[in-house]
Amino acid sequence: MSDAIIELSGVVKIFRDFWLRPTVKAVDGLDLEVRRGEVFGLLGPNGSGKSTTIKMILGLLAPTAGSVKMFGKSPKSKESRSRLGYLPELSYLHPFLTARETLRYYAGLCSLDRKTAGERASQLLEMVGLSGVADRRVGGFSKGMSRRVALASALVGKPELLVLDEPTSGLDPISTREVKLLVKALAAKGMTVLVTSHLLADAEDICDRIMILNHGKSVAGGRISELGSSLEEFFLAKVGSGDDFALADFLA
Amino acid sequence: MISLWRIFWLESVSLLRSKTVAVLLAASAAWMFAFPHFAAGDGTAEGAREMYLHYSLGGVFAILLVSLLASATGAIASERAAKRLQLTVVRPVSLFAVAWGKAAAHVAVGALTLAFAAVVALAHLGAGGKCSHVLKPVMESEREEAARMYDAYMADPETPEAVKQAKKSVVLRLLAQRAGDHYQTIAAGSSAHWRFDGADGVSNASVRLRFSTMFDSRQDVAGEFTFGGAKGIVSNQTQAVIEVPLKGAAGGGVLEFSNLGANALMLRPRKDIGVMVPADGFPANLLRSYLTMVSILALAVSFGIFLGAALSRPVAIFTAMTVLALGEMSPGVVDQYPDQLETDRRDRIGLAITRFTERMTRPVSSASPLERLSRDECVEWGSLLKVAVCDLVLLPAILAALSALAVSRRDY
């Protein structure tokens, strides 16, 4: 049996306008494999195709060419989705629900019965440190608190694969450290994690393996332990130093 | 099943906490309580009752139809625009359940508000009051009459050549449309008769009818009805809706009217005459009328959900309101528009669109629960069942499946 949880083969994504004319080639012939139990980092500058790749893996976008498989099946299949947890780049919570109701709602969508959903919600709220505000509406939460609720709702169905899009975005340093510890703990329990991040230090701390995307193509990848330099140096060597931005010229 | 319930719950909570339900209940209460104070009837208690039932409940129904249709367009479209829908879509949940659950929550809100209005109406009018089955004369169908008239029309040498050249289906449609308005004349001193099925042995039956004359002005009507052993005397004016109680047990199946007045009288048998057979009371009829209206709301809501799934919210609202307006106007346009104008290309296109809309919205527009309720005519269980199966189950299920397809084909 293959050990690959996610398999992308020759994946291309071309966005088109209303008249179906191609506008952007966001992903260009990408091959990717995420293995069971590893923490895989998808890195790259803005517009490199990370989010598009994640959305194709989740079945939220259809690839123009190539194949995407999750657990050996289509990402749109119920079986694949029942083993998945997803934290989007922004939390996108229902503002009129309380934190507890939010978790119970998503637990219900994962077919957990009422009692189990309630217990699971309480456990997760405890885990993300929101037990004290469990019955407050999330519309009034800070960005960091919303992020924790979103992370808890990604975990509510006890997924085998966790997809985290910029998980530390909007979190203070303490919360960031907690999220990183949580990811490590989940990985230690055998959960597979796919994570995207702009913060190379975060990726370096938690990832076993990375892939760097630029202009929709894979430009480098490998095990963190085998890079031979810091991730930041490796990244700048492969992607460039961002000279296009000409910040120094502007400031001068 | 759990996920369907969860979607329903989420949408209901959203409608409750966004104060949509409160606003709908407040608007309905304001209309139900305010209407009797400014409504001027025809001066009779029956007229006031008819007006109250038709316009108070009708007003609440109209408020619900427009607001729930508009709200339903946002159930999926707004979630998608706010990117919340993707968090539902990546769960192991059927998209059919998503559409169905959201529609069910909107229907529940509509049913609740309408129930409130119905209870207010019941409290205002009291539980007394009757309702009757309406028997129509046994006649050939409008299509059969059209086919018979077509043959005679084409054989007539005076029929214009343009009509003879016209497509048979067009002429048949126009003739069928006119068959409902086919007048029967009863000369002074003569009699006419119509056959009715299903009234044998019924006591306390009555005849409801409306006579016309060849002129618009009102003229005296005098005559006598016999229906088996039952008899009734008519004394009124043309243009008025007359209800003639038949004394004795009805039977024989043939209703005969003798015109004892000095004027020739006319009526459209398909529209102007019916035998009223007592059925159950007003509360039961109100309940059937209520269930019919809830079914119609369910269809409108499902349509709104589908539009929201396939289009963006602003486009979905615009489309929904356009279809609603066209659906409201189309029966009148199809009925009234003079057919000779069809020779103009623009009119032909307009009429084709209107006829198409009328055909598509017929499941909604053909059920007229308030009209029947306000005239004390029974909303039949059979008719309710037909509307419920069509508007509450079948069409919403098809629309939910189409909504699911639209959601699955979308990029997020």
Side-chain angles (χ1 to χ4, degrees), chain A residues 60 76 81 92 94 96 101, chain B residues 17 79 84 89 408 412:
Chain A
L60 295 172
K76 287 192 174 186
R81 288 184 165 171
Y92 308 131
H94 294 279
F96 44 81
E101 286 171 342
Chain B
R17 295 189 185 164
E79 289 283 288
R84 279 193 288 269
V89 168
S408 72
Y412 292 87

Side-chain angles (χ1 to χ4, degrees), chain B residues 277-321:
Chain B
V277 178
D280 45 15
F282 170 66
N285 206 29
L286 181 63
L287 175 67
R288 288 190 294 266
S289 183
Y290 163 78
L291 293 173
T292 307
M293 285 190 280
V294 170
S295 302
I296 295 171
L297 281 178
L299 179 56
V301 159
S302 305
F303 182 59
I305 299 268
F306 164 66
L307 288 178
L311 306 166
S312 67
R313 178 91 195 271
V315 180
I317 286 194
F318 176 77
T319 311
M321 292 306 146

Side-chain angles (χ1 to χ4, degrees), chain A residues 31 50 55 57 93 97 108 116 121 123 125 135 140 142 146 190 195 207 213 218 234:
Chain A
D31 297 314
K50 299 189 299 292
K55 284 181 177 180
I57 290 169
L93 299 172
L97 293 186
T116 315
Q123 283 169 7
L125 286 167
D135 297 313
S142 68
S146 299
V195 59
C207 294
L213 292 183
S218 166
F234 183 76

Side-chain angles (χ1 to χ4, degrees), chain B residues 184-204:
Chain B
Q184 181 175 353
T185 305
I186 309 155
S190 67
S191 63
H193 57 269
W194 305 274
R195 198 161 64 79
F196 288 83
D197 285 343
D200 282 355
V202 172
S203 55
N204 298 325

Side-chain angles (χ1 to χ4, degrees), chain A residues 100 103-104 106-108 110 112-127 151-159 186 189 191:
Chain A
R100 192 187 303 281
L103 297 190
R104 289 175 72 120
Y106 286 115
C110 295
L112 267 63
D113 62 58
R114 196 181 166 83
K115 186 169 171 271
T116 315
E119 287 168 2
R120 186 90 182 119
S122 298
Q123 283 169 7
L124 287 167
L125 286 167
E126 183 75 38
M127 188 188 84
L151 181 60
S153 60
L155 293 168
V156 81
K158 291 195 174 171
L186 293 170
K189 283 184 179 174
M191 188 182 286

